[in-house]
Amino acid sequence: MKPIFVQLQCAPGKTYEVADALYATELISELYSTSGEYDLLLKVYVESEEDIGKFINDHIASIPGIVRSLTTLTFRAF
């Protein structure tokens, strides 16, 4: 399993609805509200052979209220 970090920009007033929808998927390991350009930061574990772009598109970016996403791949934990 690979840890992937995703930042989400939500439509105005939709951050809590998006957060609730993300938790309902039961795919999210950690979820934080953040300040700045993005509203939410989440950590998700993806199977090594899984297509990350398709996973994010199908399970995260498709949630209503998300305007933009930024995905960060990780290589090693220290």
Side-chain angles (χ1 to χ4, degrees), residues 45-75:
Y45 287 92
V46 179
E47 294 289 340
S48 297
E49 63 279 349
E50 182 129 26
D51 181 326
I52 295 167
K54 183 164 176 35
F55 179 88
I56 298 298
N57 188 60
D58 290 351
H59 301 290
I60 296 172
S62 61
I63 292 174
I66 295 175
V67 174
R68 183 177 176 196
S69 67
L70 174 67
T71 303
T72 302
L73 306 180
T74 59
F75 302 107

Side-chain angles (χ1 to χ4, degrees), residues 1-19:
M1 302 276 290
K2 295 186 285 190
I4 307 299
F5 293 87
V6 182
Q7 295 180 75
L8 299 174
Q9 188 179 74
C10 301
K14 298 294 182 182
T15 302
Y16 287 92
E17 290 176 29
V18 170

